[in-house]
Amino acid sequence: MIHTDNKLYKKLMVQKIFTLCFLFLVSILNQSCINNDLSGKSDFDIVILNGRVMDPESDLDAIRNIGIRDGSVQLITTKEIIGQTSIDAQGLVVAPGFIDIHQHGQDHENYCYKVMDGVTTVLELEMGTADVDAWYSEREGKALINHGVSIGHVPLRMKIMNDPGGFAPVSDAVYKPASDEEIILLQEGIEKGLNQGGLGVGFGLMYTPAASRWEILEMFRVAGKTKAPCVVHLRYGGQKEPGSCIAALEEVISAAAISGAPLHVVHITSLGFSQTPKMLQMISEARTNGLDVTVECYPYTATQTTIESAVYDEGWQESFGITFEDLQWAETGERLNAESFTKYRKSGGMVIAHSIPEDVVRSTIADPMVILASDGILSGGKGHPRGTGTFARVLGKYVREEKLLSLSEGLKKITLMPARRLEEIAPMMKNKGRIREGADADITIFNPELIIDQATYEEPAKYSKGIEYVLVNGVVVVNKGRLQDGGFPGKGVRGIVNDF
Ligand SMILES: [Zn+2]
């Protein structure tokens, strides 16, 4: 009996061990099922949980978790995921980091304000630089956000003609026609800049009125060879013929048609004023007829530039339909008169002009073709509020308060559209302006109920509200609404570099 009992006991033990082994195996398999569901990626550097993820490319607009590793988005899922760091995004919108296709201020001060406005990539394309390599190396390892530059016709003209100006030329580069030799030097400079990875060719034709139409066409021809976009501040603003904004737009649309170069027209409202709808019609028709033309505006009713530049040469009142009182001195906020205008034109500095009708700003922002950008620059806390508040203003004032655009339309104009404009010349832009697996982890997380600009003409140096978290290449640079100290995760966004 005992023997039998022993046998039975052994049999039971074997069964028990077998069952335990079986359960153990099942649990291992279960474990690997979870891993498989996560594509084998159960461990992330950062996870963003329970946010309303909005991707303007796929139109995804749903609650998702995002897993980030090695600076890129690895997984977008409804399942639970775990990371070394986790961000609770409940009640917040998780969007691609905003791309500012028109930003002049390219130093740490400006980058701090941009990132607090949700921007992860800033591009100086209108003025550009005369030395593309030097521009990128000055910022390497020292930039909070991603940055890029074009090769600029204006700075090259200043260099070749020894013009002592700063942001804008003030001497020969403004008033002297280029000789045939100088046009060749300019062309060579542009070609070199594009070969070094410049993101197109910048033009500020209003700042260089002596540059002939032929000179500009010669520059477009260089750009046309590699389909580099020509980014243009037009030759004229306002409606006064023969130098009207319509004639100015005709000049560059025709140069694009002749040369095959793509065209991007900057800040259309601050050149067109009341004529802007006609200019948008011209651009739309050119696109319908097969030309690659894009356009941008900033969401403000005032312009800003240097008072000593050619923009304020004789005739500016008639051209722009404004007078002295419409001008505001950026440094002090004071309104100008004939006397102070003359004084400041001699000393030089930034002047704001209240010259764009609000209904023009609204209809331009609402146009599905128009990209939104800032044209921003802040210097020692002084400047135009567009440099610090543009993006929160789009999403707060024009999306939430005025319902001029839906949230997804607003986001598309500050993420996907600027990325697409540049992805031919800079394939790395294909991984920006979107949230999808494989995209760069440039991500802006904001509160859609609170987001708003705070910057004013009198006090431009004010951070926007409602930007809760910002990641640049997978590094958190804004955390719970506060700028993080240290760390420079920004990378240079460059076109294809050709070493000849
Ligand atoms: Zn401009």
Side-chain angles (χ1 to χ4, degrees):
M1 293 290 284
I2 295 166
H3 184 72
T4 313
D5 279 346
N6 264 348
K7 265 178 89 181
L8 187 65
Y9 178 71
K10 272 186 183 167
K11 198 178 167 191
L12 282 170
M13 279 306 288
V14 167
Q15 271 182 355
K16 201 169 179 182
I17 288 165
F18 186 77
T19 309
L20 280 171
C21 286
F22 179 72
L23 285 173
F24 181 62
L25 271 171
V26 165
S27 84
I28 285 177
L29 282 171
N30 243 342
Q31 192 69 38
S32 82
C33 272
I34 292 167
N35 279 335
N36 279 340
D37 280 349
L38 295 171
S39 320
K41 295 159 188 163
S42 60
D43 186 25
F44 298 99
D45 300 336
I46 300 177
V47 291
I48 301 169
L49 304 176
N50 303 313
R52 177 182 170 191
V53 177
M54 295 186 73
D55 174 49
E57 188 171 51
S58 63
D59 284 330
L60 172 70
D61 180 358
I63 305 299
R64 292 284 186 274
N65 297 324
I66 295 180
I68 292 162
R69 196 172 47 212
D70 299 332
S72 67
V73 172
Q74 301 279 333
L75 185 69
I76 302 172
T77 181
T78 53
K79 298 202 166 68
E80 278 185 34
I81 50 173
I82 298 165
Q84 287 166 24
T85 305
S86 65
I87 293 172
D88 177 11
Q90 196 157 21
L92 305 176
V93 171
V94 181
F98 309 153
I99 298 168
D100 191 348
I101 202 169
H102 190 160
Q103 165 74 13
H104 296 294
Q106 294 280 347
D107 54 17
H108 189 64
E109 178 190 15
N110 279 275
Y111 291 170
C112 289
Y113 282 94
K114 298 315 287 195
V115 83
M116 289 298 287
D117 200 26
V119 177
T120 54
T121 301
V122 281
L123 307 168
E124 159 60 285
L125 305 183
E126 179 202 37
M127 282 301 187
T129 178
D131 189 338
V132 170
D133 264 350
W135 192 92
Y136 282 104
S137 49
E138 273 163 29
R139 288 161 183 80
E140 203 169 325
K142 296 178 214 155
L144 188 61
I145 53 180
N146 304 313
H147 48 275
V149 76
S150 67
I151 178 72
H153 171 255
V154 175
L156 273 176
R157 209 172 197 273
M158 287 167 71
K159 192 174 156 194
I160 289 167
M161 297 185 174
N162 295 313
D163 188 297
F167 174 77
V170 291
S171 174
D172 278 0
V174 185
Y175 304 108
K176 193 176 145 254
S179 65
D180 290 350
E181 293 72 36
E182 283 168 330
I183 288 180
I184 291 168
L185 287 175
L186 285 164
Q187 284 186 303
E188 286 171 355
I190 284 174
E191 189 153 23
K192 184 176 169 200
L194 290 174
N195 284 331
Q196 290 178 349
L199 296 172
V201 186
F203 295 89
L205 302 185
M206 196 178 274
Y207 298 98
T208 56
S212 69
R213 284 159 180 72
W214 183 257
E215 175 183 332
I216 299 310
L217 190 51
E218 287 286 54
M219 305 303 123
F220 268 65
R221 288 189 176 106
V222 178
K225 282 197 274 183
T226 54
K227 300 286 176 207
C230 290
V231 178
V232 184
H233 178 138
L234 302 176
R235 190 181 288 276
Y236 313 118
Q239 54 187 319
K240 191 169 152 257
E241 294 290 9
S244 71
C245 59
I246 304 296
L249 184 56
E250 281 177 347
E251 176 188 1
V252 289
I253 289 178
S254 100
I258 292 165
S259 65
L263 171 65
H264 178 75
V265 181
V266 301
H267 52 56
I268 189 101
T269 48
S270 69
L271 295 164
F273 311 108
S274 62
Q275 304 300 298
T276 304
K278 292 176 188 161
M279 299 171 81
L280 291 173
Q281 183 187 340
M282 290 164 71
I283 291 171
S284 166
E285 287 160 345
R287 285 159 67 110
T288 303
N289 288 308
L291 290 186
D292 181 359
V293 187
T294 51
V295 59
E296 96 205 6
C297 79
Y298 50 75
Y300 291 86
T301 55
T303 70
Q304 179 189 297
T305 193
T306 46
I307 198 167
E308 68 275 25
S309 68
V311 171
Y312 287 100
D313 279 359
E314 200 61 37
W316 60 271
Q317 287 158 289
E318 229 181 318
S319 283
F320 309 143
I322 53 170
T323 185
F324 297 110
E325 296 88 79
D326 298 309
L327 301 183
Q328 189 174 14
W329 193 237
E331 180 72 28
T332 58
E334 70 183 287
R335 294 289 178 137
L336 300 192
N337 54 38
E339 200 186 328
S340 53
F341 178 85
T342 313
K343 181 179 86 182
Y344 288 135
R345 190 144 152 95
K346 276 190 200 127
S347 65
M350 285 290 179
V351 68
I352 293 159
H354 296 270
S355 53
I356 310 166
E358 174 71 22
D359 64 323
V360 168
V361 172
R362 286 173 57 86
S363 63
T364 309
I365 290 175
D367 189 320
M369 166 178 85
V370 176
I371 294 170
L372 301 174
S374 79
D375 190 10
I377 181 166
L378 199 71
S379 181
K382 306 289 181 187
H384 188 298
R386 69 191 183 207
T388 51
T390 285
F391 294 83
R393 185 174 175 85
V394 168
L395 300 176
K397 179 177 164 70
Y398 291 106
V399 169
R400 183 183 62 243
E401 291 174 5
E402 301 194 11
K403 299 187 172 40
L404 190 62
L405 300 166
S406 71
L407 183 52
S408 67
E409 287 166 342
L411 283 175
K412 192 174 177 185
K413 285 169 172 281
I414 54 177
T415 56
L416 184 65
M417 284 168 65
R420 281 195 174 148
R421 165 74 286 180
L422 292 168
E423 65 193 28
E424 223 164 301
I425 188 160
M428 62 191 293
M429 291 303 285
K430 288 180 182 164
N431 284 327
K432 298 197 183 295
R434 295 101 165 146
I435 292 195
R436 59 159 162 69
E437 290 169 15
D440 296 339
D442 295 337
I443 296 177
T444 294
I445 303 172
F446 61 93
N447 186 328
E449 305 304 322
L450 295 181
I451 191 165
I452 197 73
D453 57 314
Q454 300 264 85
T456 62
Y457 294 102
E458 288 71 31
E459 282 188 90
K462 286 196 139 182
Y463 288 146
S464 293
K465 262 169 63 176
I467 303 288
E468 299 296 329
Y469 300 91
V470 180
L471 282 75
V472 175
N473 295 306
V475 176
V476 179
V477 293
V478 175
N479 186 12
K480 294 183 180 150
R482 300 190 97 87
L483 196 60
Q484 297 297 284
D485 274 343
F488 297 103
K491 291 182 184 167
V493 175
R494 251 168 129 139
I496 297 158
V497 177
N498 294 310
D499 293 317
F500 293 122

